[in-house]
Amino acid sequence: MNSIQVKAGNVIIGGNTPIKIQTMCNTFTQDVEKSVKQCEEMVNAGAQLIRLTTQGLKEVEALKEIKAVLRSKGIDVPLVADVHFSSEVAIEAAKVADKVRINPGNFAKEHSVACSQFAKFIEVCKEYGTAVRIGINHGSLGERIINLYGDTPLGMKEAAKEWLQMCHDNTFSNVVISLKASNTIVMAQAYRLLWEDMVKDGRVYPLHLGVTEAGNGDAGRIKSAVGIAALLKDGIGSTIRVSLTENPVNEIPVAGIIAEYFNSGEYKESMKGIGHTSEGSVPYKKYECATWEEFIIKASCDFGPLLLDKVIDDFNVTAICDGKEVGSEMVDDFKDNLMQAARRKFTKPEYIACPGCGRTLYNLEETFNEVKRRTSHLKGVRIAIMGCIVNGPGEMADADFGYVGEGKGKVAIYKGKEPVLRSVPQEEAIDALLKIIEENI
């Protein structure tokens, strides 16, 4: 079933249009020169929408300037303002951005106040032709929804439906929904529940897909492909982002492979080629790809959803990349990563790491890589490395331990959902995290 078409700048999302690719700057939005440069790099890599953190009115003004500079260079990529907590900032951002990403539930603690502010925000979006993404993330649900439904896929779905109903009541349909989670099972369940309800209601809004805090390297790419493909294979999803704790430009080729795999129909053809080596044996496929990255993404799209939904319990692959057969050790490592991404078998630590943005005040990628290096032996332990407190404490809800940026040069260390150390100097924070882990496993 085709979704409603949403217009963000010159890009159409939904309907029967191809899957669109998004990413997000990790520059400080007030640094206009660096933000423009990164936007240019992203567009050259194939980004079709770009999001920038817009936490205050100064960032709204900077976004306006960034947009003007890009347009003067002939770059018309839609810009998305990422706003948290402040409805007033969201309203001002709607006058500048092509699209605004919000979670209306955090506009105010009182639900009635949040609803009132959301209605004002919608009116401004209607006036300026601004698109909206309502982003409901696992771990970031409001107290009211959690009390009613728990921190669950059902709660995520119900939260989204409330705001969608308000959009409908205010005759506003230029809206996209996301229900992201770092747990691929939770993510897939939430999107499927909302999709089923929208189909029943006869109003299907476009869905933006992504696995939050997927991490980096092969594991981050594989985890993202599993969660996104589990939905795209059933026609669910109009736009995607692969969130990696790396240079955000690296996200775009990964998302491009996934989008093209489904836009072109290659996925359906590939699935026909999955066979069995003998009666009763596990599914098998041979891949011939230009690069290792292409192989792990396409194989994850093929086998990941089958593992996630417990259609299969195991699989075998062989791969030829750039004309050379891939060794069994690399293939086995890929299989371990895919099994873990689909939450079927845990052979390594599980890392929950956000990609970082303009709110991150420390070197997130360098820190994450060092934590991975020093914890690679901790099988099954879930460790979160989060850029800031906006999403950190909530969206790392599944983690056993966490490292969350608190401000310039300061870090909070978490055990489960509780901070056990606050305002730890950044240069001491990794050692402090490791000490807490060692004391509690």
Side-chain angles (χ1 to χ4, degrees):
M1 183 175 183
N2 287 338
S3 65
I4 293 165
Q5 286 194 349
V6 168
K7 189 172 186 293
N10 62 349
V11 169
I12 302 297
I13 302 167
N16 60 354
T17 63
I19 299 158
K20 303 302 188 301
I21 299 166
Q22 302 192 30
T23 188
M24 183 174 183
C25 286
N26 63 2
T27 53
F28 296 110
T29 306
Q30 290 187 53
D31 190 332
V32 172
E33 184 178 348
K34 283 187 178 179
S35 297
V36 167
K37 183 175 184 294
Q38 191 169 75
C39 285
E40 290 180 288
E41 293 170 351
M42 290 169 164
V43 169
N44 290 335
Q48 294 168 290
L49 295 99
I50 297 175
R51 184 159 46 117
L52 297 96
T53 184
T54 316
Q55 64 266 46
L57 295 177
K58 288 182 179 179
E59 283 74 23
V60 174
E61 287 303 309
L63 182 65
K64 184 177 182 179
E65 189 175 346
I66 291 163
K67 186 174 182 179
V69 174
L70 290 171
R71 299 299 181 261
S72 73
K73 293 172 174 276
I75 299 171
D76 57 3
V77 62
L79 299 183
V80 184
D82 188 71
V83 181
H84 290 268
F85 304 116
S86 174
S87 57
E88 297 303 327
V89 172
I91 288 168
E92 292 305 309
K95 301 173 184 177
V96 173
D98 300 293
K99 183 180 173 190
V100 181
R101 187 273 186 189
I102 55 167
N103 178 355
N106 64 26
F107 274 175
K109 190 167 185 179
E110 293 294 326
H111 184 62
S112 60
V113 177
C115 289
S116 174
Q117 290 300 103
F118 183 56
K120 292 178 185 177
F121 168 72
I122 287 174
E123 288 306 311
V124 174
C125 290
K126 288 164 71 173
E127 180 182 352
Y128 284 82
T130 306
V132 174
R133 169 154 73 96
I134 297 173
I136 309 293
N137 284 11
H138 184 233
S140 297
L141 298 177
E143 183 178 337
R144 178 176 154 277
I145 288 291
I146 289 176
N147 288 338
L148 288 170
Y149 306 103
D151 192 6
T152 63
L154 176 62
M156 295 167 70
K157 182 264 289 187
E158 291 295 333
K161 283 197 69 179
E162 282 190 347
W163 301 114
L164 280 176
Q165 185 60 48
M166 186 173 290
C167 289
H168 180 69
D169 292 344
N170 286 272
T171 62
F172 182 74
S173 60
N174 204 32
V175 59
V176 178
I177 306 293
S178 65
L179 299 170
K180 295 184 179 181
S182 62
N183 181 315
T184 49
I185 293 175
V186 170
M187 173 213 172
Q189 287 177 345
Y191 278 108
R192 287 167 176 169
L193 287 171
L194 180 60
W195 177 263
E196 289 168 5
D197 274 16
M198 290 195 299
V199 170
K200 286 177 187 175
D201 293 342
R203 294 196 308 270
V204 178
Y205 291 88
L207 296 177
H208 169 67
L209 309 183
V211 178
T212 60
E213 293 86 44
N216 65 2
D218 286 1
R221 287 158 172 77
I222 291 164
K223 191 174 186 181
S224 292
V226 170
I228 292 169
L231 298 160
L232 291 182
K233 74 178 181 65
D234 294 326
I236 300 172
S238 300
T239 172
I240 65 174
R241 182 196 176 190
V242 172
S243 298
L244 298 176
T245 312
E246 300 179 18
N247 183 331
V249 176
N250 295 351
E251 299 175 356
I252 300 162
V254 182
I257 293 171
I258 296 171
E260 180 60 22
Y261 202 45
F262 287 90
N263 282 334
S264 67
E266 185 182 348
Y267 165 78
K268 289 184 178 179
E269 289 303 311
S270 181
M271 291 302 289
K272 294 176 184 176
I274 293 177
H276 293 76
T277 52
S278 61
E279 188 67 29
S281 66
V282 299
Y284 165 81
K285 184 169 174 61
K286 180 179 180 179
Y287 291 84
E288 293 190 27
C289 298
T291 64
W292 169 256
E293 182 171 83
E294 180 188 349
F295 158 64
I296 64 172
I297 293 166
K298 289 182 175 180
S300 297
C301 288
D302 289 348
F303 288 103
L306 298 175
L307 291 164
L308 188 76
D309 293 330
K310 298 185 178 180
V311 176
I312 62 173
D313 297 316
D314 197 3
F315 70 101
N316 285 318
V317 291
T318 55
I320 296 174
C321 298
D322 193 24
K324 299 176 183 177
E325 185 167 354
V326 176
S328 59
E329 188 174 324
M330 289 181 67
V331 170
D332 287 344
D333 188 59
F334 161 70
K335 285 189 62 177
D336 286 343
N337 279 325
L338 184 54
M339 285 287 192
Q340 186 149 320
R343 309 194 72 78
R344 297 299 303 277
K345 184 180 179 183
F346 291 85
T347 55
K348 304 178 179 185
E350 182 173 8
Y351 297 104
I352 301 167
C354 76
C357 67
R359 295 186 299 267
T360 305
L361 299 178
Y362 69 95
N363 190 321
L364 178 62
E365 185 177 353
E366 182 181 289
T367 299
F368 179 41
N369 286 330
E370 179 63 11
V371 171
K372 285 179 71 175
R373 185 185 72 80
R374 295 175 63 178
T375 59
S376 60
H377 59 291
L378 300 175
K379 175 181 173 181
V381 177
R382 295 167 296 186
I383 303 170
I385 308 296
M386 307 297 287
C388 71
I389 61 170
V390 170
N391 289 330
E395 293 181 16
M396 65 177 206
D398 288 338
D400 300 312
F401 305 96
Y403 177 116
V404 181
E406 265 192 324
K408 194 166 185 179
K410 301 295 182 181
V411 174
I413 305 300
Y414 280 71
K415 179 178 180 290
K417 297 180 181 180
E418 299 299 323
V420 292
L421 297 172
R422 304 298 296 262
S423 298
V424 179
Q426 181 183 329
E427 58 272 16
E428 301 171 15
I430 294 179
D431 287 339
L433 171 67
L434 270 291
K435 187 172 186 291
I436 293 296
I437 293 174
E438 289 167 2
E439 289 173 351
N440 289 277
I441 59 171

